[in-house]
Amino acid sequence: MTADPLSWLDARAAERVDAGLRRELRPRTSDTACIDLASNDYLGLVRHPEVIEGAIASVRYWGTGATGSRLVTGTTAEHEQLEAELAEFVGAEAGLVFASGYAANLGAVTALAGRGALVVSDAGSHASLVDACRLSRARVEIAPHRDPAAVDRLLAERREERALVLTDSVFSADGDLAPLAELHRVTRENGAVLVVDEAHGLGVRGAGGRGLVHECGLAGEPDLIITATLSKAFAAQGGVVLASERVRAHLIDAARTFIFDTGLAPAAVGAARAALSLLRRDPAMAQRVLDRAADLARIAGVGQPDSAVVSVVLGEAQVAYDAAQACRERGLSVGCFRPPSVPEGTSRLRLTARADLTEDELATIATVLGEVLAEARAREVVPA
Ligand code: PMP
């Protein structure tokens, strides 16, 4: 009999159990069973009747699937409308939608950098940008978190002609902001291009939710490229690159995740368009997300957040895991970040604000979180 070639998986699983790093899939139940502080539905639109109708109308018209690559049968007139609407919203010349935000990042970075280029990425950039670096075959340098001076040095010392700088606008683990104005300045001075992932910025930061790039006065800059997801504030699924017409045309020709992936499903296109239209009609939604995030931070006893993400660092992985579990048992769904998503000893609860959190929900959150956090903090080792 041959040995089981996957027996090493059992040893790995046991190691993760010992380290408090088990990961479990927890199917979402009904909407009323739990208060949601874990999702990325920042504007609270995934069940909005107009968004649902938008998805249904697109499915009725175009069918359930995109049916092919964007270059073959997967582009509908509605894909192009969505691209134009998103571009106009953020102040970019053009847009190109992808099947996911992950695919948008992989596609944009690999098509714009390659052998003979330099990519400088912030140490806190999202995993999809990290993977994009690896796939790009460019020389990759990781700059310390939020450090434009370091980016400047790395760009100035380069031998490569072409260079790309990568950063999230709002970092997903801590919800902190990239110093975009400075980053853009050093990028431009060094003849490089800045790629900003606005996954957590769109719908939350900037006038009416136009994003942090817009807020920093950088909309439409020819050497700045925005990537984003449609799965957070826009309550759908999919990704987008927002840039110049020239960059869009290049990505259509060269981005492998655009060319070889099936186009975005019509339901997602219809839902994202409806969500964007709602945000345009009620631009104060974006500020409401920030206001609710400030409420959550006050309740959790942490500093005021700059985004929808409120990070409550607890320390050991097991302490954070148990706290998240205790919240869940008491009707609060919260995120739990442990290594390798965050550094050792900084495991945390991650709360995300929604524009539509009610006063009643906030009162329940205050009671439950107050008790759970007091217990978790009592377990932490206090340094001598
Ligand atoms: N970038 C960031 C910063 C993200 O948080 C995410 C999603 N977690 C992505 C990209 C990937 O987007 P998508 O889920 O649409 O693939």
Side-chain angles (χ1 to χ4, degrees), residues 22-28:
R22 286 165 297 171
R23 296 188 192 278
E24 287 159 19
L25 295 179
R26 251 180 234 95
R28 192 144 58 89

Side-chain angles (χ1 to χ4, degrees), residues 100-102 105 126 128 168 172 197 199-200 229 231-232 238:
S100 71
Y102 214 110
N105 276 338
H126 187 258
S128 51
D168 294 13
S172 51
D197 181 338
H200 301 275
T229 178
S231 67
K232 302 186 194 303

